[in-house]
Amino acid sequence: MKRTKIIDVLKSTDFGKEVCVKGWVRTHRSSKAVDFIALNDGSTIKNVQVVADPTKFDEQLLKDITTGACISAEGVLVESQGAGQSSEIQATKLEVYGLCGNDYPMQKKGQSFEAMRKNAHMRLRTNTFGAVMRIRHNMAMAIHTYFHEHGFYYFHTPLITASDCEGAGNMFQVTTKNLYDLKKDEQGKIIYDDDFFGEQTSLTVSGQLEGELGATALGAIYTFGPTFRAENSNTPRHLAEFWMVEPEVAFLDQEELMDLEEDFIKYCVKWALDNCKDDLQFLNQMIDKTLIERLEGVLKETFVRLPYTEGINILQEATKNGKKFEFPCNWGDDLASEHERYLVEEHFKKPVIMTDYPRAFKSFYMKQNEQQGDGSVGYKGAVAPGPTMQGTDVLFPQIGEIIGGSVREESYEKLMGEIERRQMDKTHLWWYIDTRRWGSCPHAGFGLGFERLILFVTGMQNIRDVIPFPRTPKSAEF
C-alpha cells in the first residue's frame, strides 16, 4: 500500500479508509486489552496514534516496537475517542524496519541540550529539533520568496577566496600543500607557488565583496550560503561555519536600506507565524512561553532608527541611574551584546536600527558621512565627536545584532584613502577597487546571520541548537 504522510493523515476526515503510515515510534503503551503507538515521520510536530489489538499481532513483534524503532503501520482511519486528536489508525498490519534498543540516546526523558549535542546525529528525531529544522526550512523558503518577489537575483559567490572581506584575518586556509614539508623563503614565509591556486587561499567570511559586483551589473542581488570564521569563540552566539544572507542593491541610500532591512525581516517573521503554527505553538509551550507574543510584537512595531551617538548617550544616562554593564560604553567603543539588548529590551522595548557608527571599528568599505566630527548637532541634540560611517545594524530582543548593513563607499578616491589609512594590503583587492574606477554607482547592502534569525524565531537559546551539525572550536564531528 502506498504510504501517506502523517501530516496528511491528521488532516483527513475520510474515515473508514485504509491508510499506510511509516515513521519512528515516539511512545508505545501496552496493556492486555490494547496497545497505543505514537508514530511520527517528521512531516509535522504531531504524532498519529496507532491502536493495535494485541490478540491479533505476534507478541514479539509488539515487544520490538520500542521508542525510536522505525515501523510501518497499515490500518483503518477512524475518529479518535481520545482527547487532543481527531483521528487515529486501527492497525491491521505492523512491520518493524529498524529495531531500537534500550541504549537509544533519545529516550523519552528530560535531557539537556548540551547532552543532546553529543548525539547530534540522533537529536534531529526529537520533537524540539524536528520543530526547529522545519522552521529553518521555512525561513529559507521565506528568504528566497521575498527576494524573488522583489526583483532580486540569486547570486552565487565563491566559497574559496584570496581576499579577506572583513580584514580580520580569522580565516580557514584552503591548501593542497604537504603540511609536513612546507616550502619557505629566506624570511621563513610559506611559498605558495606549488599550491593548487598558486597563492594563499581561504574559506570565505562573506560573499559581500563579490555580491557588490553582482549588484553593479544586475541591479539587485542576494547571496545565501555558508561562511566560515576561525574565531576561537565558545559562546551561545558564535559558530565557525554558519549561513549568511547578503543582499546588495544599486542606487540605494541609507534610508532606503533601513526600509529594506525592516520590511525583509518582518516578512520572514510573518511567514513563520503563517506557515509554522504547530511548531511555534510547541516551542512556545516547551522552550519560551513569550515566543509567539514576541514574534507578533515585531510585526506591530515600527523599528526605532537610532544614531550610534544618541545610543551612547542613552547608555551613559542608564549607568548614571544605576544600570551596571560589564563592558564600557563610551563614544568610540564597539557596543557589546548587553548594550544592544538594553536598548532593545529595556529602553525602547522594540527593535532598533542603529546607524552612523564611528569609523574606527567599522569596515573599510562603508561610506563616510559628510560631517566628520566637526561639532554638528545630530539626532536629539547628539554630537558626534569623530568621523562616522553609514552603518545600519538591526538589533533584536534576545539576540542583539541580527543584521549588519551599510551604504558602501562608491568614490574611488575616498575608498583608496580609507584603504591606505588602514594600511591594508591591496594585492587581493584590485578587482574590488576596479569597480570604483569604472562605472561606480551608489549602492548598499546588509548581511543577515541566518542562524541568528532562527534563534529569534524559535526561541532557542544557543546557536548550536538551530543548525543540524554545529562547527565550533574543538568540535567537527558528524
Side-chain angles (χ1 to χ4, degrees):
M1 183 183 297
K2 186 178 180 180
R3 173 203 172 205
T4 303
K5 288 186 177 181
I6 289 174
I7 189 172
D8 296 322
V9 167
L10 294 175
K11 291 177 182 177
S12 177
T13 57
D14 194 4
F15 301 121
K17 178 183 177 181
E18 289 194 3
V19 295
C20 173
V21 292
K22 300 180 181 184
W24 294 266
V25 176
R26 288 285 192 259
T27 61
H28 180 185
R29 293 181 289 123
S30 301
S31 70
K32 292 182 179 180
V34 66
D35 280 44
F36 297 103
I37 302 166
L39 196 65
N40 190 283
D41 65 0
S43 62
T44 173
I45 190 70
K46 297 178 179 178
N47 305 321
V48 66
Q49 180 165 273
V50 178
V51 182
D53 181 345
T55 64
K56 297 180 179 179
F57 293 94
D58 180 73
E59 182 180 355
Q60 185 58 49
L61 174 66
L62 292 177
K63 285 183 178 180
D64 288 341
I65 299 176
T66 58
T67 297
C70 183
I71 71 169
S72 169
E74 296 180 17
V76 179
L77 184 67
V78 299
E79 287 191 80
S80 178
Q81 304 301 312
Q85 54 198 24
S86 59
S87 59
E88 60 188 27
I89 298 172
Q90 294 285 350
T92 57
K93 182 179 178 182
L94 296 171
E95 181 180 357
V96 177
Y97 289 143
L99 297 171
C100 200
N102 292 330
D103 57 347
Y104 176 52
M106 296 295 127
Q107 295 286 348
K108 186 176 173 59
K109 60 182 178 180
Q111 293 190 65
S112 70
F113 289 124
E114 183 177 1
M116 283 195 276
R117 281 178 219 130
K118 297 176 182 177
N119 292 289
H121 58 312
M122 290 288 110
R123 69 176 183 168
L124 300 174
R125 296 187 192 178
T126 65
N127 286 333
T128 298
F129 286 94
V132 170
M133 293 306 138
R134 282 186 293 271
I135 291 173
R136 186 182 171 100
H137 158 78
N138 269 280
M139 288 298 90
M141 293 300 298
I143 288 164
H144 286 299
T145 304
Y146 177 87
F147 287 122
H148 179 69
E149 290 178 350
H150 287 77
F152 286 67
Y153 296 100
Y154 185 25
F155 191 70
H156 297 118
T157 54
L159 296 184
I160 300 174
T161 179
S163 63
D164 179 1
C165 174
E166 302 296 334
N170 296 320
M171 303 177 75
F172 292 102
Q173 285 197 42
V174 176
T175 183
T176 56
K177 293 179 68 65
N178 180 355
L179 300 182
Y180 297 98
D181 185 23
L182 294 173
K183 290 172 56 180
K184 297 182 180 180
D185 62 19
E186 294 178 355
Q187 287 75 41
K189 294 183 178 180
I190 297 172
I191 299 171
Y192 286 91
D193 292 351
D194 61 340
D195 206 357
F196 186 89
F197 293 105
E199 59 182 326
Q200 184 177 344
T201 55
S202 304
L203 294 176
T204 186
V205 299
S206 169
Q208 179 201 312
L209 301 189
E210 293 89 351
E212 288 186 47
L213 275 62
T216 60
L218 301 173
I221 65 93
Y222 72 102
T223 74
F224 186 6
T227 52
F228 310 85
R229 299 197 183 181
E231 297 177 357
N232 190 20
S233 298
N234 278 293
T235 78
R237 296 287 181 270
H238 290 90
L239 291 167
E241 175 185 293
F242 55 99
W243 287 65
M244 287 283 286
V245 181
E246 298 177 289
E248 288 289 331
V249 190
F251 316 114
L252 203 70
D253 64 22
Q254 189 177 29
E255 285 297 320
E256 293 168 326
L257 175 60
M258 288 189 283
D259 290 341
L260 174 63
E261 290 169 340
E262 182 170 347
D263 188 59
F264 165 71
I265 206 157
K266 283 184 173 179
Y267 182 97
C268 292
V269 171
K270 187 175 187 304
W271 184 289
L273 288 167
D274 290 345
N275 295 278
C276 308
K277 292 179 181 178
D278 290 342
D279 289 320
L280 287 177
Q281 286 172 357
F282 171 81
L283 293 171
N284 192 85
Q285 178 184 355
M286 302 299 294
I287 303 298
D288 183 347
K289 297 191 184 303
T290 65
L291 174 61
I292 292 177
E293 178 184 358
R294 194 165 60 249
L295 294 176
E296 291 172 342
V298 167
L299 302 183
K300 296 173 185 175
E301 300 287 0
T302 299
F303 294 4
V304 175
R305 301 188 177 188
L306 178 73
Y308 167 91
T309 302
E310 177 62 19
I312 289 293
N313 289 353
I314 292 171
L315 292 167
Q316 290 179 341
E317 188 65 28
T319 59
K320 291 177 184 177
N321 294 328
K323 178 68 178 179
K324 295 188 181 299
F325 294 114
E326 180 181 355
F327 297 100
C329 51
N330 299 311
W331 201 96
D333 291 332
D334 194 358
L335 296 187
S337 179
E338 61 174 343
H339 303 137
E340 296 169 342
R341 292 186 61 177
Y342 172 81
L343 292 169
V344 172
E345 297 169 16
E346 298 185 47
H347 186 81
F348 290 106
K349 295 182 172 61
K350 61 174 71 174
V352 171
I353 305 180
M354 183 164 277
T355 67
D356 305 313
Y357 288 87
R359 179 175 67 183
F361 60 81
K362 284 299 181 180
S363 298
F364 75 96
Y365 49 72
M366 290 189 181
K367 186 178 181 67
Q368 290 189 21
N369 282 309
E370 292 300 322
Q371 301 293 342
Q372 294 297 313
D374 60 357
S376 58
V377 179
Y379 178 81
K380 290 188 177 180
V383 177
T388 59
M389 290 177 145
Q390 293 185 23
T392 59
D393 292 356
V394 181
L395 313 180
F396 255 38
Q398 306 291 320
I399 302 297
E401 180 189 327
I402 195 169
I403 282 178
S406 76
V407 179
R408 319 307 191 189
E409 181 55 70
E410 78 270 18
S411 164
Y412 172 81
E413 290 76 15
K414 291 180 180 179
L415 181 66
M416 287 300 296
E418 190 64 21
I419 290 173
E420 290 171 3
R421 190 187 72 81
R422 298 180 185 224
Q423 298 181 325
M424 295 176 62
D425 183 0
K426 298 187 286 290
T427 304
H428 298 294
L429 287 174
W430 65 268
W431 52 271
Y432 182 75
I433 295 168
D434 272 356
T435 62
R436 273 61 171 180
R437 295 175 58 210
W438 298 320
S440 182
C441 70
H443 61 289
F446 67 80
L448 166 79
F450 185 54
E451 280 74 28
R452 292 197 177 189
L453 174 65
I454 308 304
L455 270 180
F456 179 75
V457 172
T458 61
M460 299 292 282
Q461 299 301 304
N462 195 309
I463 202 165
R464 304 175 192 204
D465 298 327
V466 295
I467 191 169
F469 308 106
R471 296 290 179 258
T472 55
K474 309 299 181 185
S475 178
E477 291 182 292
F478 315 111

